[in-house]
Amino acid sequence: MRASPRHGVPGEACMEGHLTLVRATHLNVYISVLRDIGAPVDRDLARSKLPENIETTPDLYVSIPVALEWIARTGHDLRPMELGLLGAQNACLSSLRPAQQAAIMTAQTGLTRLEALAALSRFEDSALAMRIQREADDVRVICEMAGVGRHPFICLAEWLNLQAVISVVRSVAGPSWQPRELCFVSSAPPPATVQAAFPETRLRMGQAHTSIVVGGTDLARSTNDATAPAHDAAMEGDDPDGPAAAWEFVSLLRMMVQPYIGGGSPNVAFAAEMAGMSTRTLQRRLKLCGSSYSQILQEARFSLACERLDDPGLKVIEVAMLAGYETPQHFTRAFRRFTGVTPSEYRDRCVEQA
């Protein structure tokens, strides 16, 4: 466990008192771009606060400020706006979970696809709130990033959010569709590559919100491949353990430490540093929530173990190691305390219910 990373993050990892997390799959979009341009990805990952196995755990969550800083530092040969464009061009809707993709792609008009995307955005990013508003004959999709709006490399996140909207509209209007307007919170001037990629689009920098303007006629088109209205359990928030639940401090902290479990037990000082607060403040907030850091670690291990037990290709002893338990016996005792059954019994019941 890298309890004392060699390279820190300028400013706090938690801005304005928020814990902000994003699914690792979106960071992996940038990792792919950085590898393509020959950046020292492996070296910089080893020196960073990011989990070592980030590329193989796309469904875990990572700190947004830590991720943004790492992307910008590793890709420092490119300006952030140019790097953001490359990330956007490398992103696609397939990074969403299959059920969420289906919820979007079965919607029957461009507008309802965008509405589905807005409803699902909370599953991907704890800071993101996406909303749609009418402006005369057009529609503006606003992407607000609570807690990270002043981050110096916010444009890296802005590009992925805007690209999600662009991908949805192009699924209806065609691959050459261009937005009327792209608005960025970032004040950095767009390089020539951005202007060339969006020659028909008005680019506005230093705005209050990230947003994109779409022509109403583009969204009114019926989709040819829609088979049913967009309706899925993922949109209803039926998963009590997932991001559909309230992004509360305890659940966010549990998700933040989970990717580090397999490499050892991240201590409370490391967790506090990642959260952008003092150890004392972190412990005090957990106490007010009726929890403790040791309980957070136990819950994070248990959640990770349950996910791994769903994989029939893994032995129970392998799951124990991946979830950070010292021995299989320790794992069995801890698991029984949470569930009343052993890991093997739990796996058998899951198979029976499948």
Side-chain angles (χ1 to χ4, degrees):
M1 176 67 204
R2 295 162 295 171
S4 300
R6 285 173 281 174
H7 291 272
V9 176
E12 296 182 338
C14 173
M15 305 179 77
E16 300 178 0
H18 292 272
L19 279 177
T20 55
L21 306 180
V22 66
R23 272 183 71 221
T25 189
H26 303 296
L27 170 59
N28 289 342
V29 167
Y30 277 110
I31 289 180
S32 178
V33 168
L34 292 169
R35 289 194 184 281
D36 287 344
I37 64 174
V41 171
D42 293 326
R43 184 199 69 186
D44 284 5
L45 275 176
R47 296 176 176 179
S48 76
K49 294 180 181 178
L50 293 168
E52 295 176 358
N53 61 342
I54 190 68
E55 292 179 272
T56 59
T57 54
D59 287 333
L60 296 183
Y61 286 76
V62 296
S63 163
I64 294 175
V66 170
L68 294 179
E69 173 62 27
W70 180 85
I71 294 166
R73 185 177 66 243
T74 304
H76 63 85
D77 288 340
L78 296 176
R79 285 181 286 180
M81 281 295 291
E82 189 171 5
L83 184 56
L85 173 63
L86 289 176
Q89 292 172 335
N90 201 52
C92 60
L93 292 178
S94 63
S95 62
L96 300 175
R97 294 182 177 93
Q100 296 172 354
Q101 293 177 49
I104 293 170
M105 299 308 292
T106 56
Q108 294 177 308
T109 67
L111 180 59
T112 54
R113 285 190 176 184
L114 273 187
E115 289 171 344
L117 175 69
L120 292 167
S121 62
R122 69 188 189 277
F123 287 82
E124 304 295 315
D125 183 331
S126 72
L128 178 60
M130 191 176 290
R131 55 190 173 88
I132 300 170
Q133 70 179 33
R134 293 279 186 177
E135 292 187 354
D137 295 330
D138 296 332
V139 168
R140 183 181 296 273
V141 183
I142 299 172
C143 306
E144 296 187 80
M145 294 281 289
V148 291
R150 295 199 302 269
H151 194 283
F153 304 122
I154 186 61
C155 67
L156 298 171
E158 290 185 283
W159 270 115
L160 293 191
N161 294 335
L162 292 170
Q163 182 59 40
V165 177
I166 291 170
S167 295
V168 167
V169 179
R170 284 179 175 172
S171 73
V172 179
S176 62
W177 176 85
Q178 295 266 312
R180 297 186 189 277
E181 182 176 277
L182 289 175
C183 295
F184 294 84
V185 172
S186 173
S187 58
T193 52
V194 175
Q195 299 281 0
F198 295 96
E200 302 171 18
T201 302
R202 181 186 181 191
L203 302 174
R204 301 180 64 190
M205 314 306 293
Q207 300 301 298
H209 303 292
T210 308
S211 67
I212 178 171
V213 175
V214 183
T217 54
D218 295 322
L219 296 179
R221 301 183 189 186
S222 177
T223 58
N224 295 325
D225 53 349
T227 58
H231 184 84
D232 190 270
M235 293 182 64
E236 300 298 332
D238 291 338
D239 179 4
D241 297 320
W247 288 102
E248 297 174 349
F249 181 76
V250 168
S251 60
L252 283 169
L253 186 64
R254 186 188 307 120
M255 295 169 70
M256 187 186 77
V257 302
Q258 192 179 65
Y260 302 91
I261 294 294
S265 296
N267 60 35
V268 65
F270 178 79
E273 183 181 9
M274 290 290 292
M277 60 185 69
S278 69
T279 300
R280 185 175 179 181
T281 298
L282 175 65
Q283 292 172 323
R284 183 168 62 248
R285 289 194 65 175
L286 285 172
K287 185 176 181 180
L288 289 173
C289 294
S291 186
S292 66
Y293 186 66
S294 62
Q295 184 176 341
I296 292 294
L297 277 181
Q298 292 173 16
E299 292 169 351
R301 287 197 187 100
F302 172 72
S303 178
L304 188 59
C306 288
E307 293 176 11
R308 297 296 185 260
L309 284 170
D310 286 338
D311 183 351
L314 291 175
K315 298 178 180 178
V316 171
I317 188 172
E318 293 173 324
V319 173
M321 297 300 104
L322 289 170
Y325 292 93
E326 295 177 359
T327 66
Q329 294 76 19
H330 182 200
F331 175 42
T332 298
R333 287 195 299 270
F335 199 89
R336 192 191 291 274
R337 282 199 301 270
F338 272 97
T339 65
V341 298
T342 67
S344 296
E345 291 169 338
Y346 175 87
R347 171 174 275 175
D348 291 341
R349 291 184 183 184
C350 291
V351 171
E352 291 172 1
Q353 294 170 1

